Amino acid sequence: MKTFLAVDIGASSGRHMLGWMEDGQIRMQEIYRFENGMISRDGRLCWDVDRLFREILEGMKKCRSLGHIPESMGIDTWAVDYVLLDRDDRLLGPAVGYRDSRTRGVDEKVYALVPEEELYDRTGIQKQIFNTIYQLMAVKEQEPKLLERAGAMLMIPDYFHFLLTGKKGTEYTNATTTQLVNARTGDWDRELIKKLGFPREIFQEILDPGTVLGELTEEIQKEVGFNCRVVLPATHDTGSAVLAMPCQEETGLYISSGTWSLMGTEVKKAVCTSQARMANLTNEGGYERRFRLLKNIMGLWMIQSVRHEDQDTYSFGQICRWAEENREFPSRVDVNDESFLAPASMKAAVKEYCQKTGQKIPRTTGEIGAVIYQSLAECYGRTAKEIEAVTGEHYNSIYIIGGGANADYLSRLTAAAAGRRVSAGPTEATAAGNLAVQMKTAGLFESLKEARTCIRQSFPVKTFEPDTGVSAQ
């Protein structure tokens, strides 16, 4: 039996998922899990990439102990964050995370060199103050000697793949989130990079999902006890999740629901119009050089933060139930307001927003949960209309994929707010998409459509109607 290993690392945890085909369906088994989160280092919020790589290796050793040596493996993570390597391939400085405040005000430095409208026309990427372009500008302004010493820039999953194989490259779906890739050519925008004053030599060749990067180095083979191919999945976790969207039509609206909610649709050509820019829609790269026309929405980070403030005493299911019991609570927040990005207290941030806007202030966890869940659903409903206005298409269904597909209450709210059917699942969409690329590279699928059909048949999907809210498998 051929097995494949998907290493899926999110902002709060990572896991190793072993996958294989059985009776025409994809089967998956979680064999290793570890915690993740930003740490404070020299006054910055950073990722502990050394520890994360040790966890990657520990999970690979688990394959050996279970007697399942994978044909290939691939790693996906969140987007926009990166490391710099010196000319001897040594790490330069910490891996600063996207929630760090160093990019505050840096957008004006960028726009002084490249106007915002031109930037969007070139890249099709929405403004997010934590995008790689602003992070690099922050380094240029605050720590210019780091850039002077840099020999390479690698996105976080590309760095881990480099440590495994000794080979550098930048996978396409994640590269586009830097806001430095030209939407028309699909390659680094060298003219843009020159205007911004970034060293052009640090940017690596852009590689498509499905590229066989290489095999494990001898050192890694000795460490984990086996050799296998490293195949690039869509290394941006949302790219992998959307790849696993179980749509039966050509395309549809999706919400990749987890720490963030990424809501959008697939298009074959980037939409770089002023209407799309004003709606703050982004054109991230997708599998087979498609584009994921989407909007970043704060997502379940808000609920996760509330839960942490209660010392994780209550399950997400319990918070959901309390929120539903308080469904008549009238207040709403703008979930994309910057006050919710990294507050010291999410509960306090929600209360302060309601007070500032003259609304009833929630007091209990259930009332705060009700405000967040209903605000998210209403944001989804508005975003669906914005995407339809920009594309000129009508979408009958919304596919919720990822961990948030477990939140039935949010799915019912979304169906009602958007006025269309919601299909929720698979919850393990990112791992399924990662595995699907590896399996297609190994010849188990002939096309993306075949892979998506298999995914729909392999994992449970619930449906919620907009009028009744009734769900069914």
Side-chain angles (χ1 to χ4, degrees):
M1 178 178 67
K2 288 185 178 181
T3 58
F4 305 86
L5 179 64
V7 182
D8 171 30
I9 309 177
S12 58
S13 67
R15 68 271 178 83
H16 290 57
M17 303 290 287
L18 203 62
W20 64 94
M21 292 293 294
E22 183 178 312
D23 298 327
Q25 296 186 339
I26 298 175
R27 304 296 189 193
M28 293 195 301
Q29 178 188 354
E30 181 182 302
I31 61 170
Y32 190 75
R33 178 175 284 269
F34 53 93
E35 295 301 311
N36 191 23
M38 294 185 199
I39 58 174
S40 181
R41 181 174 290 172
D42 299 327
R44 296 292 190 199
L45 288 175
C46 304
W47 302 106
D48 189 346
V49 290
D50 292 337
R51 184 187 69 80
L52 288 177
F53 189 64
R54 289 196 299 271
E55 297 284 12
I56 290 169
L57 296 181
E58 286 303 312
M60 293 170 67
K61 292 176 187 176
K62 189 72 173 177
C63 292
R64 179 69 178 178
S65 67
L66 292 172
H68 292 299
I69 306 303
E71 294 280 318
S72 66
M73 66 171 291
I75 303 169
D76 64 75
T77 74
W78 61 97
V80 307
D81 288 340
Y82 65 92
V83 299
L84 292 175
L85 303 181
D86 69 14
R87 290 170 179 83
D88 294 317
D89 293 335
R90 294 173 300 197
L91 203 59
L92 273 177
V96 180
Y98 61 84
R99 293 191 191 278
D100 186 76
S101 61
R102 67 175 174 170
T103 55
R104 195 168 293 156
V106 169
D107 49 340
E108 295 305 319
K109 301 286 186 180
V110 171
Y111 301 148
L113 299 171
V114 182
E116 186 174 1
E117 295 82 359
E118 179 185 344
L119 186 59
Y120 189 84
D121 181 65
R122 284 177 172 272
T123 68
I125 298 297
Q126 70 181 143
K127 177 185 176 180
Q128 297 278 7
I129 195 60
F130 47 72
N131 284 353
T132 318
I133 188 174
Y134 305 111
Q135 294 195 45
L136 285 172
M137 183 58 73
V139 173
K140 180 187 170 189
E141 293 289 317
Q142 300 161 20
E143 301 175 277
K145 289 188 178 180
L146 271 185
L147 275 185
E148 291 171 12
R149 294 169 55 200
M153 182 198 80
L154 293 174
M155 307 302 283
I156 295 294
D158 297 321
Y159 176 57
F160 294 144
H161 286 139
F162 165 67
L163 293 178
L164 290 173
T165 65
K167 297 180 180 178
K168 301 188 191 81
T170 302
E171 187 275 322
Y172 171 68
T173 66
N174 217 341
T176 62
T177 71
T178 64
Q179 209 169 352
L180 291 165
V181 172
N182 188 289
R184 294 169 182 83
T185 67
D187 202 355
W188 298 113
D189 192 320
R190 302 288 177 180
E191 183 180 352
L192 172 61
I193 289 168
K194 182 179 180 181
K195 285 184 177 183
L196 294 168
F198 299 154
R200 286 177 286 180
E201 65 272 13
I202 68 174
F203 297 94
Q204 307 302 302
E205 179 185 3
I206 293 179
L207 305 172
D208 285 335
T211 297
V212 179
L213 191 63
E215 296 185 347
L216 303 179
T217 65
E218 289 186 9
E219 181 182 357
I220 297 297
Q221 289 179 45
K222 291 176 183 177
E223 174 82 12
V224 301
F226 64 86
N227 188 22
C228 72
R229 297 193 306 173
V230 173
V231 174
L232 298 183
T235 62
H236 181 195
D237 51 11
T238 306
S240 278
V242 170
L243 194 148
M245 179 172 57
C247 58
Q248 294 173 305
E249 58 269 34
E250 178 63 24
T251 188
L253 289 174
Y254 58 79
I255 303 172
S256 179
S257 180
T259 300
W260 289 91
S261 289
L262 294 307
M263 184 171 186
T265 189
E266 284 186 316
V267 293
K268 293 182 179 179
K269 183 179 179 182
V271 182
C272 301
T273 63
S274 60
Q275 184 183 12
R277 181 177 65 83
M278 294 302 292
N280 209 24
L281 295 174
T282 198
N283 293 269
E284 294 179 355
Y287 188 66
E288 294 180 338
R289 295 283 171 144
R290 301 176 185 215
F291 290 90
R292 292 173 285 119
L293 181 67
L294 62 84
K295 174 175 283 190
N296 282 46
I297 300 169
M298 196 67 73
L300 294 176
W301 156 253
M302 299 178 73
I303 292 294
Q304 291 167 2
S305 298
V306 168
R307 182 170 179 259
H308 290 331
E309 286 184 52
D310 288 330
Q311 289 74 53
D312 295 338
T313 303
Y314 312 111
S315 67
F316 290 113
Q318 180 63 69
I319 296 173
C320 245
R321 287 189 289 274
W322 284 337
E324 188 165 11
E325 290 169 6
N326 289 275
R327 59 185 172 274
E328 300 302 325
F329 197 85
S331 302
R332 303 288 185 269
V333 298
D334 175 2
V335 295
N336 286 327
D337 191 89
E338 285 192 7
S339 62
F340 303 125
L341 183 60
S345 166
M346 185 63 73
K347 288 185 175 183
V350 171
K351 292 176 181 178
E352 288 168 11
Y353 187 98
C354 291
Q355 183 179 41
K356 181 177 66 176
T357 53
Q359 301 181 82
K360 187 175 180 179
I361 300 173
R363 302 293 180 188
T364 67
T365 297
E367 289 175 346
I368 292 171
V371 171
I372 293 171
Y373 278 122
Q374 296 197 59
S375 298
L376 279 172
E378 291 182 9
C379 182
Y380 297 159
R382 291 191 298 271
T383 302
K385 292 178 181 177
E386 290 174 342
I387 293 170
E388 288 185 335
V390 166
T391 63
E393 300 286 340
H394 176 70
Y395 306 98
N396 294 316
S397 299
I398 296 175
Y399 296 89
I400 299 181
I401 48 183
N406 281 323
D408 288 1
Y409 178 53
L410 182 56
S411 294
R412 290 199 299 273
L413 287 176
T414 301
R420 60 199 84 201
R421 174 181 293 175
V422 166
S423 295
T427 57
E428 301 290 358
T430 300
N434 183 322
L435 291 169
V437 170
Q438 295 186 57
M439 290 175 172
K440 183 174 181 293
T441 301
L444 300 186
F445 298 123
E446 291 186 1
S447 65
L448 175 60
K449 183 177 181 180
E450 183 181 346
R452 281 178 165 166
T453 298
C454 182
I455 287 169
R456 187 175 185 90
Q457 295 169 349
S458 301
F459 303 101
V461 177
K462 292 182 179 179
T463 59
F464 300 84
E465 300 296 338
D467 299 326
T468 64
V470 173
S471 67
Q473 293 290 344

